[in-house]
Amino acid sequence: MPEPVAVDAMGGDHGPAETVAGAVLARRARGVPVVLVGRAGAIRAELARHDAVGEIDVVHAEQIVPMTERGAGAVSADQTSVAVGCDLVRQGAASAFVSAGSTGAVVSRAIRGLGRAEGVLRPALAVALPSVTGGATVLVDAGATADPTPEMVAQFALLGASYAQLVLGVADPSVGLLSIGSEPGKGNRLTRRTEGLLPGLPFRFHGNVEGHDVLAGTVDVIVTDGFTGNVVLKNVEGTVRAALAMVARAGVAGPEALREVAARYDPETHGGAALLGLDGTVVVAHGSSRARTVARACEVARDLAEGGVVTRVRDHLAVEPVR
């Protein structure tokens, strides 16, 4: 059996009930080996509800990282479920780590526990969003680093392009910089300074793109800072739900068609975002994740680990000075 995916049982708005249920679903329905990390008594009580005591291993971690924690507390505490989960990956006892906990806390602890890949300034969260053309666009950074430097954003573009090649199979990905206009020089100081760095990097730079390009398939990768990227991601999910609800009320499409479209943009479908730029596989799920989303995140983590994506992205990344 391959090494299991470590799941932060205590993380998220609905842990441990939903996270444990998701781990059980991942194990039974999707064949993903898992190990649950957190307060053993609470986890085993939830496992008992699914008649799964003894079926899934439990690693005790006494402390819980609050969802309000931005990162500093997670770095200093060594007995949290996030810290122990990252340690399992570092020690080779787990192939990947999945958490629906505070993104800032997971990112901070993962950097400390697993380390950044050589040459990487900051990790970035990448999520593939379905486009109207039938393909997908990688959004990066989707929330790992809210206030990056231009050099960091330029490197996020490199990470995103590598992810598009290795995971989505795009041979020559195009990269767009999210801004308030497609014309050169548009945007705030961060965007303008980043725009000057991207043309010299080893990918096809499309130029600036706008919010309406996110789902249009205009480019293969859209790069931005983590604050903006996270707002975009949640806005896409919310807008799709709202639009489909209005269509349903208008009666212009059947329920099956609406469910099919909704499923493409549901967090349950993509499971979570891959944290790129680390020496280990980490998937961050929505804080509001329910069991099916947690199960899908485990599946994504398993696939990333089995495909050696972390190592391949690291090797594929052209660690060139970003000036």
Side-chain angles (χ1 to χ4, degrees):
M1 289 288 290
E3 297 301 335
V5 172
V7 180
D8 174 12
M10 315 310 292
D13 298 331
H14 308 293
E18 294 292 331
T19 47
V20 171
V24 172
L25 180 62
R27 165 75 177 171
R28 291 177 173 173
R30 307 187 182 186
V32 181
V34 293
V35 57
L36 287 159
V37 184
R39 291 179 176 168
I43 293 172
R44 291 195 176 101
E46 292 299 328
L47 286 172
R49 295 177 55 197
H50 301 278
D51 196 23
V53 175
E55 181 179 344
I56 295 176
D57 289 338
V58 177
V59 175
H60 181 68
E62 182 60 32
Q63 295 173 289
I64 299 174
V65 178
M67 289 299 288
T68 54
E69 176 59 60
R70 296 181 60 188
V75 171
S76 61
D78 292 328
Q79 292 304 311
T80 64
S81 52
V82 174
V84 174
C86 288
D87 287 346
L88 289 174
V89 176
R90 179 178 55 80
Q91 295 160 6
S95 61
F97 177 58
V98 169
S99 178
S102 162
T103 298
V106 174
V107 171
S108 297
R109 187 66 208 197
I111 292 173
R112 174 171 172 175
L114 299 173
R116 294 188 294 268
E118 183 178 356
V120 171
L121 301 172
R122 284 282 298 183
L125 285 168
V127 60
L129 296 174
S131 67
V132 296
T133 60
T137 298
V138 177
L139 176 67
V140 59
D141 176 23
T145 305
D147 295 301
T149 64
E151 292 76 15
M152 290 176 186
V153 179
Q155 197 172 74
F156 297 165
L158 283 168
L159 290 168
S162 295
Y163 187 84
Q165 285 183 305
L166 297 171
V167 176
L168 302 183
V170 181
D172 183 24
S174 58
V175 177
L177 175 64
L178 190 62
S179 187
I180 57 172
S182 60
E183 303 86 354
K186 281 292 188 74
N188 58 14
R189 182 180 301 175
L190 173 64
T191 304
R192 294 195 304 271
R193 289 182 59 192
T194 302
E195 184 185 356
L197 300 174
L198 296 180
L201 296 178
F203 50 70
R204 187 158 47 95
F205 180 47
H206 172 89
N208 289 348
V209 295
E210 300 180 63
H212 56 69
D213 293 306
V214 173
L215 303 181
T218 306
V219 291
D220 301 303
V221 179
I222 290 181
V223 64
T224 186
D225 63 273
F227 180 89
T228 304
N230 194 262
V231 171
V232 167
L233 176 61
K234 291 173 180 175
N235 181 65
V236 165
E237 294 165 352
T239 300
V240 169
R241 285 195 297 269
L244 291 176
M246 288 187 282
V247 170
R249 283 199 296 270
V252 296
E256 287 299 323
L258 294 175
R259 278 194 290 269
E260 181 181 345
V261 174
R264 297 188 69 205
Y265 297 94
D266 195 304
E268 181 184 310
T269 302
H270 56 72
L275 187 56
L276 304 179
L278 295 172
D279 277 329
T281 302
V282 175
V283 171
V284 181
H286 267 286
S288 59
S289 293
R290 298 286 185 174
R292 293 178 65 87
T293 305
V294 173
R296 176 59 182 150
C298 292
E299 192 175 19
V300 169
R302 186 269 313 274
D303 292 346
L304 291 173
E306 287 186 350
V309 171
V310 166
T311 301
R312 293 167 65 200
V313 166
R314 181 189 64 205
D315 294 344
H316 195 264
L317 179 62
V319 187
E320 299 183 5
V322 180
R323 299 185 179 89

